[in-house]
Amino acid sequence: MNTMSQRTERRGIHLDQSELLCKKGCGFYGNTAWQGLCSKCWREENQRERQKQIQEDWELAERLQREEEEAYVSRQRTPQSQPAITPFSKFEERKTKEKSSKVNTVTKFFTPSTKTPPKKDAFDSQSTPSPSSSSSRHSSADTDHATREFIDFLKPLKSGREIFKQCRAFTESMVYKREMGADELSECVQDFYQNLSDRLQTQFKGSTEHVENVMDAVEKYMMTRLYKEVFCPETTDDEKKDLAIQKRIRALHWVTIEMLCVPVDEEIPEVSDSVVKAITDVIEMDSKRVPKDKLSCITRCSKHIFNAIKISKKEAASADDFLPTLIYIVLKANPPRLQSNIQYITRFCNPSRLMTGEDGYYFTNLCCAVAFIEKLDGQSLNLSTEEFELYMSGQASPHWPQGASASTESPGSSALNQVHKRLDLLTGLGERQDRVIEKARQLESDLIDWTDEVEQKVQNVLESFPQDLPNPATSTSASAIDSENVENELLPPPLQPQVFAG
């Protein structure tokens, strides 16, 4: 008697031998916990079910993408003036009424609801969507490419279909929250990140790297689609701050490396190249849509700065060297929409990326550099208040050469004297130019008068003394002309033709 039979008999249970065998008929004993299968057959069955689930997720993702593309093509063929009287209009009206209540969490996206119909069908199947449809604003090549990349990324995941449905539903719901404040929009997105991250932590059993990869893909997909809605929204003063910091940086164009104590020697070609690359990277930040990509631009810029400092000092750069150099790079670059980009990253970036890692460190330094520029004064640059005001107003510049009296006068008065001297010189040159132009015009007038006078005199002479021109037919013959040539007598006689007998 085998071991299984012995155990069952000791417990007072009598089973037939056929009831203990695996249902697949492999000859091994099964287990009630494994649905009557042996361990080998149970593993094979589980693997087949998993592959079937992955295949279903794949087919669903492709179907969703295909339906979205077909809906977009049908909307392009529909005249813009055609009214959108569809079931989606009722859905939009119902969602508009819900705007008044603030949504603090997005847990509803993770629990199925039997009361609300699927938003996918109400969204994709419409040939004439309402003007506020999210797809009408996200039909660019970037959004389409991001959607395809996101679907391809989720295909191998067992829960890829559910993640895609949640992200898609969330991006659609954000269309109806355009009138919300930026902080409320940020709260909705951050809550969604947090809930999805918690679920992934449970699913992947603490695999932090895997969770971060999925969250990066989620952020790229969502923020590419929501970029036009949440970047520099009308409910904020981000645009006003952009203009203020841009004007401030323009006024500080005179700030030199020496004033900021920047340990960088731009005379070295490699250092100059690194500075140019750093400026290019921080300017390129505005062209990106995803917060992670914007942070990558800041990180590349910072690494070029560290490289420039290392080459200049011939040693590793420190944090005390990095921040002044970053301030100098920002002043030289004057990045477009600087405040809007900083606020966009702060509001909608994955919080784990900002709180840890080099991206968060470099972003924090950029925020410090911008705050320093906003509060920059003469004391920060080791200048007096008078000098700082003169430089800011453009009445003086540290790049102008100092006069001989600089040793006895204060730097501010010496610079002011130089300004007055150059203004006097410019005034004198202007007066001389006016005199030259006046004389040139007088000379031009005199030339015109002289030409007219000469033409009149020539005409009077021709009228007073008419000329009798000889007739060409009665002109002197060629022989008379030759007769005047006294050298004709010295010429040899003309050649005579000679005939030779053949």
Side-chain angles (χ1 to χ4, degrees):
M1 187 177 296
N2 54 40
T3 306
M4 180 65 71
S5 300
Q6 293 175 357
R7 271 201 306 270
T8 54
E9 288 184 1
R10 284 196 301 267
R11 295 177 183 177
I13 302 174
H14 300 280
L15 298 175
D16 185 30
Q17 185 73 13
S18 61
E19 296 179 358
L20 301 176
L21 296 178
C22 177
K23 293 182 178 180
K24 294 291 184 179
C26 61
F28 294 95
Y29 291 104
N31 192 325
T32 56
W34 294 340
Q35 301 176 356
L37 302 176
C38 64
S39 60
K40 180 180 178 182
C41 294
W42 182 82
R43 283 195 301 269
E44 293 177 353
E45 186 69 19
N46 190 27
Q47 184 67 19
R48 280 193 295 271
E49 292 180 358
R50 184 176 180 182
Q51 292 295 333
K52 181 180 179 181
Q53 183 68 30
I54 292 174
Q55 183 65 24
E56 291 178 356
D57 294 342
W58 192 320
E59 294 175 356
L60 175 63
E62 290 180 346
R63 182 171 62 84
L64 291 175
Q65 177 65 17
R66 187 169 56 256
E67 290 176 356
E68 187 171 357
E69 292 176 354
E70 292 175 356
Y72 171 70
V73 173
S74 62
R75 285 192 296 272
Q76 292 296 324
R77 297 175 180 175
T78 303
Q80 297 294 332
S81 59
Q82 184 177 357
I85 306 176
T86 62
F88 184 75
S89 301
K90 298 180 180 180
F91 174 76
E92 178 185 1
E93 182 179 359
R94 184 171 64 255
K95 293 297 295 184
T96 304
K97 294 179 180 179
E98 297 176 0
K99 290 182 182 179
S100 57
S101 60
K102 178 179 177 182
V103 181
N104 294 323
T105 60
V106 289
T107 311
K108 60 182 179 180
F109 294 117
F110 301 100
T111 57
S113 176
T114 57
K115 298 181 181 180
T116 304
K119 299 179 179 58
K120 169 176 66 62
D121 297 335
F123 178 77
D124 286 337
S125 60
Q126 305 303 322
S127 59
T128 57
S130 63
S132 61
S133 175
S134 62
S135 290
S136 63
R137 284 187 296 275
H138 301 294
S139 58
S140 64
D142 291 339
T143 55
D144 294 340
H145 182 68
T147 302
R148 294 189 185 94
E149 282 189 348
F150 189 54
I151 293 175
D152 293 338
F153 176 82
L154 294 177
K155 283 180 181 179
L157 301 181
K158 182 178 180 180
S159 59
R161 177 177 61 180
E162 185 66 20
I163 294 174
F164 181 78
K165 289 171 62 178
Q166 294 163 6
C167 295
R168 192 165 181 270
F170 180 77
T171 54
E172 292 174 9
S173 68
M174 291 293 288
V175 176
Y176 307 99
K177 301 176 183 179
R178 289 173 294 177
E179 298 178 359
M180 295 176 60
D183 294 336
E184 295 174 341
L185 293 174
S186 174
E187 185 177 354
C188 291
V189 174
Q190 295 297 334
D191 287 344
F192 181 84
Y193 285 159
Q194 186 62 42
N195 282 275
L196 182 58
S197 178
D198 292 343
R199 289 198 61 195
L200 293 176
Q201 289 284 355
T202 304
Q203 177 181 344
F204 297 122
K205 299 179 180 180
S207 179
T208 306
E209 182 179 359
H210 202 163
V211 172
E212 289 181 354
N213 292 335
V214 176
M215 292 305 300
D216 288 342
V218 170
E219 177 189 296
K220 182 176 182 180
Y221 167 74
M222 289 176 46
M223 301 318 300
T224 301
R225 294 177 63 89
L226 296 175
Y227 179 77
K228 294 181 180 179
E229 301 291 339
V230 299
F231 183 85
C232 191
E234 297 179 357
T235 56
T236 65
D237 58 348
D238 292 348
E239 185 176 359
K240 183 178 179 181
K241 292 180 180 179
D242 289 335
L243 297 175
I245 190 64
Q246 189 176 45
K247 183 178 179 181
R248 176 72 172 176
I249 293 176
R250 286 178 179 174
L252 293 169
H253 66 90
W254 48 268
V255 177
T256 62
I257 289 181
E258 293 76 17
M259 293 179 180
L260 294 172
C261 299
V262 176
V264 170
D265 184 6
E266 291 189 275
E267 297 296 331
I268 303 175
E270 296 180 1
V271 175
S272 179
D273 291 342
S274 297
V275 170
V276 171
K277 291 178 180 178
I279 293 174
T280 303
D281 287 331
V282 76
I283 292 176
E284 187 182 0
M285 173 179 61
D286 184 61
S287 65
K288 305 299 182 181
R289 288 193 171 191
V290 185
K292 179 178 177 294
D293 295 339
K294 292 182 181 290
L295 287 175
S296 298
C297 293
I298 299 174
T299 301
R300 291 196 303 270
C301 169
S302 302
K303 290 183 177 180
H304 288 309
I305 291 175
F306 274 109
N307 184 55
I309 298 174
K310 181 179 179 181
I311 296 175
S312 301
K313 296 183 63 176
K314 297 181 180 179
E315 61 181 14
S318 62
D320 295 335
D321 298 330
F322 170 69
L323 184 57
T325 310
L326 179 60
I327 295 171
Y328 175 71
I329 293 297
V330 173
L331 289 176
K332 292 196 69 174
N334 197 359
R337 300 191 292 184
L338 181 57
Q339 288 286 5
S340 293
N341 282 287
I342 291 177
Q343 294 298 328
Y344 176 72
I345 294 173
T346 304
R347 293 167 183 158
F348 303 106
C349 183
N350 190 350
S352 62
R353 184 173 297 278
L354 289 181
M355 292 185 293
T356 59
E358 60 180 4
D359 289 345
Y361 171 76
Y362 294 136
F363 177 71
T364 303
N365 278 271
L366 178 63
C367 296
C368 294
V370 174
F372 178 85
I373 292 173
E374 291 176 338
K375 300 179 180 179
L376 186 64
D377 55 11
Q379 185 178 1
S380 304
L381 302 174
N382 296 323
L383 297 174
S384 64
T385 306
E386 294 77 11
E387 287 180 300
F388 184 79
E389 294 299 331
L390 285 173
Y391 294 156
M392 289 294 292
S393 62
Q395 299 179 6
S397 173
H399 304 286
W400 293 349
Q402 299 295 329
S405 60
S407 58
T408 58
E409 299 178 353
S410 64
S413 60
S414 176
L416 189 58
N417 291 334
Q418 293 291 332
V419 171
H420 289 310
K421 290 180 181 180
R422 282 161 176 76
L423 288 175
D424 294 339
L425 179 60
L426 289 174
T427 304
L429 291 175
E431 294 175 355
R432 291 178 60 185
Q433 184 180 12
D434 293 338
R435 289 196 297 269
V436 170
I437 293 175
E438 184 179 356
K439 290 183 178 181
R441 290 174 179 172
Q442 183 63 36
L443 179 60
E444 182 181 7
S445 177
D446 294 343
L447 287 174
I448 293 173
D449 295 340
W450 178 80
T451 303
D452 295 340
E453 184 180 356
V454 170
E455 289 180 354
Q456 185 64 34
K457 288 182 179 181
V458 171
Q459 185 67 26
N460 293 336
V461 171
L462 292 176
E463 292 177 356
S464 302
F465 304 97
Q467 295 181 353
D468 296 332
L469 297 177
N471 190 355
T474 60
S475 61
T476 326
S477 61
S479 60
I481 295 176
D482 292 339
S483 63
E484 295 178 359
N485 192 351
V486 295
E487 296 181 356
N488 287 343
E489 298 177 356
L490 302 178
L491 294 176
L495 298 177
Q496 297 295 330
Q498 297 180 6
V499 179
F500 297 93

